[in-house]
Coordinates of all heavy atoms in Angstrom, one line a residue:
M162 N 17.7 11.1 -6.5 CA 18.9 10.5 -6.6 C 19.1 9.9 -8.0 O 18.0 9.5 -8.5 CB 19.1 9.3 -5.5 CG 19.0 9.9 -4.0 SD 19.2 8.7 -2.9 CE 20.8 8.9 -2.5
D163 N 20.2 9.7 -8.4 CA 20.5 9.1 -9.6 C 20.7 7.6 -9.4 O 20.8 7.1 -8.3 CB 21.7 9.8 -10.5 CG 22.9 9.6 -9.7 OD1 23.1 8.8 -8.9 OD2 23.9 10.4 -10.2
V164 N 21.0 6.8 -10.5 CA 21.2 5.5 -10.3 C 22.4 5.0 -9.5 O 22.5 4.0 -9.0 CB 21.1 4.8 -11.7 CG1 19.9 4.8 -12.4 CG2 22.3 5.2 -12.6
A165 N 23.3 5.9 -9.4 CA 24.6 5.7 -8.5 C 24.4 6.0 -7.1 O 25.3 5.9 -6.3 CB 25.8 6.4 -9.1
G166 N 23.1 6.5 -6.8 CA 22.9 7.0 -5.4 C 23.3 8.3 -5.0 O 23.3 8.6 -3.9
R167 N 23.7 9.1 -6.0 CA 24.1 10.6 -5.7 C 22.9 11.4 -5.8 O 21.9 11.3 -6.6 CB 25.1 11.1 -6.8 CG 26.4 10.2 -6.8 CD 27.3 10.9 -7.8 NE 26.8 10.6 -9.1 CZ 27.2 9.8 -10.1 NH1 28.2 9.0 -9.7 NH2 26.6 9.6 -11.1
T168 N 22.8 12.3 -4.8 CA 21.7 13.3 -4.7 C 21.7 14.3 -5.9 O 22.8 14.9 -6.3 CB 21.8 14.2 -3.4 OG1 21.7 13.3 -2.3 CG2 20.6 15.2 -3.3
K169 N 20.7 14.3 -6.6 CA 20.5 15.2 -7.8 C 20.0 16.6 -7.4 O 20.4 17.6 -8.0 CB 19.7 14.5 -8.9 CG 20.3 13.4 -9.4 CD 19.5 12.8 -10.5 CE 19.4 13.6 -11.7 NZ 18.9 13.1 -13.0
W170 N 19.0 16.7 -6.5 CA 18.4 17.9 -6.0 C 17.7 17.6 -4.8 O 17.3 16.5 -4.4 CB 17.5 18.5 -7.1 CG 16.5 17.7 -7.7 CD1 16.6 17.0 -8.8 CD2 15.1 17.3 -7.2 NE1 15.5 16.3 -9.0 CE2 14.5 16.5 -8.0 CE3 14.4 17.6 -6.0 CZ2 13.3 15.9 -7.9 CZ3 13.2 17.1 -5.8 CH2 12.6 16.3 -6.8
I171 N 17.4 18.6 -3.9 CA 16.6 18.6 -2.7 C 15.4 19.5 -2.8 O 15.7 20.8 -3.2 CB 17.5 18.9 -1.5 CG1 18.6 17.9 -1.4 CG2 16.7 19.0 -0.3 CD1 19.7 18.2 -0.2
Y172 N 14.3 19.2 -2.5 CA 13.0 20.0 -2.6 C 12.7 20.5 -1.2 O 12.6 19.7 -0.2 CB 11.9 19.2 -3.2 CG 10.7 20.1 -3.2 CD1 10.5 21.1 -4.1 CD2 9.6 19.9 -2.3 CE1 9.4 22.0 -4.0 CE2 8.5 20.7 -2.3 CZ 8.3 21.7 -3.2 OH 7.3 22.5 -3.2
Q173 N 12.6 21.8 -0.9 CA 12.2 22.4 0.2 C 11.1 23.5 -0.1 O 11.3 24.3 -1.0 CB 13.4 23.0 1.0 CG 14.4 22.0 1.5 CD 15.5 22.6 2.2 OE1 15.8 23.8 1.9 NE2 16.1 21.9 3.1
N174 N 10.1 23.6 0.7 CA 9.1 24.5 0.6 C 8.4 24.8 1.9 O 8.0 23.9 2.6 CB 8.1 24.0 -0.5 CG 7.0 25.2 -0.9 OD1 6.3 25.6 0.0 ND2 7.1 25.5 -2.1
Q175 N 8.3 26.1 2.3 CA 7.7 26.3 3.6 C 6.3 26.0 3.7 O 5.7 25.8 4.8 CB 7.8 27.9 3.8 CG 7.0 28.7 3.0 CD 7.1 30.2 3.2 OE1 8.1 30.6 3.8 NE2 6.3 31.0 2.7
D176 N 5.5 25.7 2.6 CA 4.2 25.2 2.7 C 4.0 23.8 2.6 O 2.9 23.3 2.5 CB 3.4 25.8 1.5 CG 3.4 27.4 1.6 OD1 3.2 27.9 2.6 OD2 3.5 28.0 0.5
L177 N 5.1 23.0 2.8 CA 5.1 21.5 2.9 C 5.5 21.2 4.2 O 6.6 21.4 4.6 CB 6.0 20.9 1.8 CG 6.1 19.4 1.8 CD1 4.7 18.8 1.4 CD2 7.2 18.8 0.9
K178 N 4.5 20.6 5.0 CA 4.8 20.3 6.4 C 4.6 18.7 6.5 O 3.4 18.3 6.2 CB 3.9 21.1 7.3 CG 4.2 22.5 7.3 CD 3.3 23.3 8.1 CE 3.6 24.9 8.1 NZ 3.8 25.5 6.8
W179 N 5.5 18.1 7.2 CA 5.4 16.7 7.4 C 5.2 15.8 6.2 O 4.2 15.2 6.1 CB 4.4 16.4 8.5 CG 4.5 15.0 9.2 CD1 5.5 14.1 9.0 CD2 3.6 14.4 10.2 NE1 5.3 13.0 9.7 CE2 4.2 13.2 10.5 CE3 2.5 14.9 10.8 CZ2 3.6 12.4 11.4 CZ3 1.8 14.0 11.6 CH2 2.4 12.8 11.9
P180 N 6.2 15.8 5.3 CA 6.1 15.0 4.1 C 5.8 13.6 4.5 O 6.5 13.1 5.3 CB 7.4 15.3 3.4 CG 8.0 16.4 4.0 CD 7.5 16.6 5.4
Q181 N 4.8 13.0 3.8 CA 4.4 11.6 4.2 C 4.1 10.8 3.0 O 3.1 10.4 2.8 CB 3.2 11.6 5.2 CG 2.9 10.5 5.9 CD 3.9 10.1 6.9 OE1 4.5 11.0 7.5 NE2 3.9 8.8 7.3
G182 N 5.2 10.6 2.2 CA 5.0 9.8 1.0 C 5.2 10.5 -0.3 O 5.1 11.8 -0.4
L183 N 5.6 9.7 -1.2 CA 5.9 10.1 -2.7 C 5.3 9.2 -3.5 O 5.0 8.0 -3.3 CB 7.4 10.0 -3.0 CG 8.4 10.9 -2.2 CD1 9.9 10.4 -2.4 CD2 8.3 12.3 -2.5
D184 N 4.9 9.7 -4.8 CA 4.4 8.9 -5.8 C 4.9 9.5 -7.2 O 5.3 10.7 -7.2 CB 2.9 8.8 -5.7 CG 2.4 7.6 -6.5 OD1 3.2 6.8 -7.1 OD2 1.2 7.3 -6.4
I185 N 4.9 8.8 -8.2 CA 5.3 9.3 -9.6 C 4.3 8.9 -10.6 O 3.7 7.8 -10.4 CB 6.8 8.9 -9.8 CG1 7.3 9.6 -11.1 CG2 6.8 7.5 -10.0 CD1 8.8 9.5 -11.3
D186 N 4.0 9.7 -11.6 CA 3.1 9.3 -12.6 C 3.9 8.9 -13.9 O 5.1 8.9 -14.0 CB 2.1 10.3 -12.8 CG 2.5 11.6 -13.4 OD1 3.6 11.7 -13.9 OD2 1.8 12.6 -13.5
S187 N 3.2 8.7 -15.0 CA 3.7 8.2 -16.3 C 4.4 9.2 -16.9 O 5.2 9.0 -17.8 CB 2.7 7.7 -17.1 OG 1.6 8.6 -17.4
R188 N 4.3 10.5 -16.5 CA 5.0 11.7 -17.2 C 6.2 12.0 -16.3 O 6.8 13.1 -16.5 CB 4.1 12.7 -17.3 CG 3.0 12.6 -18.3 CD 2.1 13.8 -18.3 NE 1.4 13.9 -19.6 CZ 0.6 15.0 -19.9 NH1 0.3 15.7 -18.9 NH2 0.1 15.1 -21.0
D189 N 6.6 11.2 -15.3 CA 7.7 11.5 -14.4 C 7.5 12.7 -13.5 O 8.4 13.3 -12.9 CB 9.1 11.7 -15.1 CG 9.5 10.3 -15.7 OD1 9.2 9.2 -15.2 OD2 10.2 10.3 -16.7
R190 N 6.2 13.0 -13.2 CA 5.9 14.1 -12.2 C 5.8 13.4 -10.9 O 5.5 12.3 -10.7 CB 4.6 14.7 -12.5 CG 4.5 15.6 -13.7 CD 3.1 16.2 -13.9 NE 2.3 15.0 -14.4 CZ 1.2 15.1 -15.1 NH1 0.9 16.3 -15.7 NH2 0.4 14.1 -15.4
I191 N 6.5 14.2 -9.9 CA 6.5 13.6 -8.6 C 5.5 14.2 -7.6 O 5.4 15.5 -7.7 CB 8.0 13.9 -8.1 CG1 9.1 13.3 -9.0 CG2 8.2 13.4 -6.6 CD1 10.4 13.7 -8.8
Y192 N 4.9 13.5 -6.9 CA 3.9 14.0 -5.9 C 4.3 13.7 -4.6 O 4.6 12.7 -4.2 CB 2.5 13.2 -6.2 CG 1.9 13.4 -7.6 CD1 2.4 12.7 -8.6 CD2 1.0 14.3 -7.7 CE1 2.0 12.9 -9.9 CE2 0.4 14.5 -9.0 CZ 1.0 13.8 -10.1 OH 0.4 14.0 -11.4
V193 N 4.2 14.8 -3.7 CA 4.8 14.7 -2.3 C 3.5 15.1 -1.4 O 3.1 16.3 -1.5 CB 6.0 15.7 -2.0 CG1 6.5 15.6 -0.6 CG2 7.1 15.5 -3.1
A194 N 3.2 14.2 -0.6 CA 2.1 14.4 0.3 C 2.6 15.2 1.5 O 3.4 14.7 2.2 CB 1.4 13.2 0.8
G195 N 1.9 16.3 1.8 CA 2.2 17.2 3.0 C 1.1 16.8 4.0 O 0.0 17.5 4.0
K196 N 1.4 15.8 4.9 CA 0.3 15.4 5.8 C -0.2 16.5 6.8 O -1.3 16.7 7.0 CB 0.8 14.2 6.6 CG -0.2 13.6 7.6 CD 0.3 12.2 8.2 CE -0.9 11.6 8.9 NZ -0.4 10.4 9.6
A197 N 0.8 17.3 7.3 CA 0.4 18.4 8.3 C -0.1 19.7 7.6 O -0.7 20.5 8.2 CB 1.5 18.6 9.3
S198 N 0.3 19.8 6.4 CA 0.0 21.0 5.6 C -1.4 20.8 4.7 O -1.8 21.7 4.1 CB 1.1 21.6 4.8 OG 1.6 20.5 3.9
N199 N -1.8 19.5 4.7 CA -3.0 19.2 4.0 C -3.0 19.6 2.5 O -3.8 20.2 2.0 CB -4.2 19.8 4.6 CG -4.4 19.3 6.1 OD1 -4.4 18.2 6.3 ND2 -4.8 20.2 7.0
N200 N -1.8 19.2 1.9 CA -1.7 19.5 0.4 C -0.8 18.5 -0.2 O -0.1 17.7 0.4 CB -1.2 20.9 0.2 CG 0.2 21.2 1.0 OD1 1.0 20.3 1.2 ND2 0.4 22.5 1.3
V201 N -0.8 18.5 -1.5 CA 0.1 17.7 -2.2 C 1.0 18.6 -3.2 O 0.4 19.4 -3.9 CB -0.7 16.6 -3.1 CG1 0.3 15.8 -4.0 CG2 -1.4 15.6 -2.2
H202 N 2.3 18.5 -3.2 CA 3.0 19.2 -4.1 C 3.4 18.4 -5.3 O 3.9 17.3 -5.1 CB 4.4 19.7 -3.4 CG 4.1 20.7 -2.3 ND1 4.9 21.9 -2.2 CD2 3.2 20.7 -1.3 CE1 4.4 22.6 -1.2 NE2 3.4 21.9 -0.6
V203 N 3.2 19.0 -6.4 CA 3.5 18.3 -7.7 C 4.7 18.9 -8.3 O 4.8 20.1 -8.5 CB 2.3 18.5 -8.7 CG1 2.6 17.6 -10.0 CG2 1.1 18.0 -8.1
L204 N 5.8 18.0 -8.5 CA 7.1 18.5 -9.0 C 7.5 18.0 -10.4 O 7.0 16.8 -10.7 CB 8.1 18.2 -8.0 CG 7.9 18.4 -6.5 CD1 9.1 17.8 -5.7 CD2 7.9 19.9 -6.2
S205 N 8.2 18.6 -11.1 CA 8.8 18.1 -12.3 C 10.0 17.1 -12.0 O 10.4 17.0 -10.8 CB 9.4 19.2 -13.2 OG 10.5 19.8 -12.6
Y206 N 10.4 16.3 -13.0 CA 11.4 15.3 -12.7 C 12.7 16.0 -12.2 O 13.5 15.3 -11.5 CB 11.7 14.5 -14.0 CG 12.5 15.3 -15.0 CD1 13.7 15.5 -15.2 CD2 11.7 16.2 -15.9 CE1 14.4 16.2 -16.1 CE2 12.3 17.0 -16.8 CZ 13.6 17.0 -17.0 OH 14.3 17.8 -17.9
D207 N 12.9 17.2 -12.5 CA 14.2 18.0 -12.0 C 13.9 18.7 -10.7 O 14.7 19.6 -10.4 CB 14.7 18.8 -13.0 CG 13.8 19.8 -13.7 OD1 12.5 19.9 -13.3 OD2 14.3 20.6 -14.6
G208 N 12.7 18.6 -10.0 CA 12.5 19.2 -8.8 C 11.8 20.5 -8.7 O 11.8 21.2 -7.7
K209 N 11.4 21.1 -9.9 CA 10.7 22.3 -9.9 C 9.2 22.2 -9.6 O 8.5 21.2 -10.1 CB 10.9 22.9 -11.2 CG 12.3 23.4 -11.6 CD 12.5 24.0 -12.9 CE 13.9 24.6 -13.1 NZ 15.0 23.6 -13.0
L210 N 8.7 23.1 -8.7 CA 7.3 23.0 -8.4 C 6.4 23.3 -9.6 O 6.5 24.3 -10.3 CB 7.0 24.0 -7.2 CG 5.6 24.1 -6.8 CD1 5.3 22.7 -6.1 CD2 5.5 25.2 -5.8
I211 N 5.5 22.4 -9.8 CA 4.5 22.6 -10.9 C 3.3 23.2 -10.3 O 2.6 24.2 -10.9 CB 4.2 21.3 -11.6 CG1 5.4 20.7 -12.3 CG2 3.1 21.5 -12.7 CD1 5.2 19.4 -12.9
R212 N 2.7 22.7 -9.3 CA 1.6 23.1 -8.6 C 1.3 22.5 -7.3 O 2.1 21.6 -6.9 CB 0.3 22.8 -9.4 CG -0.1 21.4 -9.5 CD -1.3 21.1 -10.4 NE -2.4 21.4 -9.6 CZ -3.6 20.8 -9.9 NH1 -3.8 20.0 -10.7 NH2 -4.7 21.2 -9.2
V213 N 0.6 23.2 -6.4 CA 0.2 22.6 -5.1 C -1.3 22.4 -5.1 O -2.1 23.3 -5.4 CB 0.6 23.7 -3.9 CG1 0.1 23.1 -2.7 CG2 2.0 23.9 -4.0
I214 N -1.6 21.1 -4.8 CA -3.1 20.8 -4.7 C -3.5 21.0 -3.1 O -2.9 20.3 -2.3 CB -3.4 19.4 -5.1 CG1 -2.9 19.2 -6.5 CG2 -4.8 19.0 -5.0 CD1 -2.8 17.7 -7.0
E215 N -4.4 21.9 -2.8 CA -4.7 22.3 -1.5 C -5.9 21.6 -0.9 O -6.6 20.9 -1.8 CB -4.9 23.8 -1.4 CG -3.8 24.7 -1.8 CD -2.8 24.8 -0.8 OE1 -2.9 24.2 0.3 OE2 -1.6 25.3 -1.1
N216 N -6.1 21.6 0.4 CA -7.3 21.2 1.0 C -7.5 19.7 0.9 O -8.7 19.3 0.7 CB -8.5 22.0 0.6 CG -8.4 23.4 0.9 OD1 -7.9 23.9 2.0 ND2 -8.7 24.3 -0.1
I217 N -6.4 18.9 1.1 CA -6.5 17.4 1.1 C -6.3 17.1 2.6 O -5.2 17.3 3.0 CB -5.7 16.8 0.2 CG1 -5.8 17.2 -1.3 CG2 -5.7 15.3 0.3 CD1 -4.9 16.7 -2.2
S218 N -7.2 16.6 3.3 CA -7.1 16.3 4.6 C -6.1 15.2 5.0 O -6.4 14.0 4.6 CB -8.5 15.9 5.3 OG -8.2 15.6 6.7
A219 N -5.0 15.6 5.5 CA -3.8 14.6 5.9 C -3.6 13.5 4.8 O -3.7 12.4 5.0 CB -4.2 13.9 7.2
P220 N -3.1 14.0 3.6 CA -2.8 13.1 2.5 C -1.6 12.1 2.8 O -0.6 12.6 3.4 CB -2.5 13.9 1.3 CG -2.0 15.2 2.0 CD -2.7 15.4 3.2
V221 N -1.7 10.9 2.4 CA -0.6 10.0 2.5 C -0.7 9.1 1.3 O -1.7 8.7 0.9 CB -0.8 9.2 3.8 CG1 0.3 8.0 4.0 CG2 -0.9 10.0 5.0
F222 N 0.5 8.6 0.8 CA 0.7 7.8 -0.3 C 1.1 6.4 0.3 O 1.9 6.4 1.1 CB 1.6 8.1 -1.4 CG 1.1 9.4 -2.2 CD1 2.0 10.6 -2.1 CD2 0.0 9.5 -2.8 CE1 1.5 11.7 -2.8 CE2 -0.4 10.6 -3.5 CZ 0.4 11.7 -3.4
F223 N 0.6 5.3 -0.2 CA 0.9 4.0 0.3 C 1.6 3.2 -0.9 O 1.2 3.5 -2.0 CB -0.3 3.3 0.7 CG -1.0 3.9 1.9 CD1 -2.1 4.6 1.7 CD2 -0.5 3.6 3.2 CE1 -2.7 5.3 2.8 CE2 -1.1 4.2 4.3 CZ -2.2 5.0 4.1
S224 N 2.5 2.4 -0.6 CA 3.2 1.6 -1.7 C 2.2 0.6 -2.3 O 1.2 0.1 -1.6 CB 4.3 0.8 -1.2 OG 4.8 1.1 0.1
K225 N 2.4 0.4 -3.6 CA 1.4 -0.5 -4.3 C 2.0 -2.0 -4.1 O 3.1 -2.3 -3.9 CB 1.4 -0.1 -5.7 CG 0.8 1.3 -5.8 CD 0.9 1.7 -7.3 CE 0.3 3.1 -7.4 NZ 0.6 3.7 -8.7

């Protein structure tokens, strides 16, 4: 979403099951934890898939 609350893009991927948290790094990469798919999807700021980190047992991100 942008600062006005408008949706900029929507990420969907058949290999992402039960998204359970988001995080962002200093380079504006977005991390989406797939709790049921046991992976983390790494996205660019504009929603393009950069990579999938596999074999993480039930990943979840917690607020700081």
